[in-house]
Amino acid sequence: QVQLVESGGGLVQPGGSVGLSCRGIGNIFNIRVMGWYRQKVGEAREWIASITKPGVATYAQSMSGRVNINRDNDRNAVYLQIHNVEIDDTALYYCHANVLRTGSDYYKEFWGQGTQVTVSS
């Protein structure tokens, strides 16, 4: 079994920064792409950023310049920093990974359970 365990988030004041962490645990042989999504109340889940195993990062244009994604391949972990947060950043943030499990022949998508970020003064 594979799980993505997220941490971080919580209540943040507008203009502040927040850091999210996600670590993959279980029978992981390789992780190709890791990323972050978010879902606001009443809206569809939206992509924020992704990073490949060699470290190539891509960002959604709507958040480019305010977010930074990085990963630690030895820990099967991915991190997201959001700077200058806005009330509109309030959402449930999900970690995503494209995982090759030990003994498997194909990659499978996994999602974290979600971590809440609430921006409020």
Side-chain angles (χ1 to χ4, degrees):
Q1 285 284 35
V2 172
Q3 282 185 291
L4 299 181
V5 181
E6 298 154 347
S7 60
L11 180 63
V12 192
Q13 289 191 339
S17 297
V18 62
L20 307 178
S21 301
C22 170
R23 187 175 182 188
I25 58 174
N27 59 328
I28 296 172
F29 183 78
N30 189 52
I31 300 179
R32 195 157 49 190
V33 179
M34 302 187 83
W36 289 93
Y37 290 70
R38 70 181 182 183
Q39 188 166 17
K40 304 174 188 177
V41 173
E43 297 186 17
R45 192 172 297 187
E46 64 173 330
W47 171 70
I48 300 171
S50 296
I51 185 167
T52 65
K53 190 166 185 177
V56 177
T58 53
Y59 299 94
Q61 188 173 6
S62 61
M63 296 191 72
S64 182
R66 293 199 299 120
V67 297
N68 185 59
I69 187 172
N70 55 77
R71 67 187 277 179
D72 181 339
N73 294 325
D74 291 336
R75 296 174 57 87
N76 291 324
V78 63
Y79 309 95
L80 184 75
Q81 296 83 40
I82 310 174
H83 305 290
N84 194 23
V85 296
E86 305 165 354
I87 291 177
D88 195 48
D89 290 322
T90 297
L92 196 58
Y93 285 72
Y94 294 93
C95 170
H96 171 268
N98 205 236
V99 178
L100 179 64
R101 292 162 294 171
T102 303
S104 179
D105 295 327
Y106 60 92
Y107 283 82
K108 183 177 179 180
E109 293 188 25
F110 288 88
W111 293 90
Q113 77 282 3
T115 184
Q116 179 69 35
V117 173
T118 301
V119 182
S120 175
S121 56

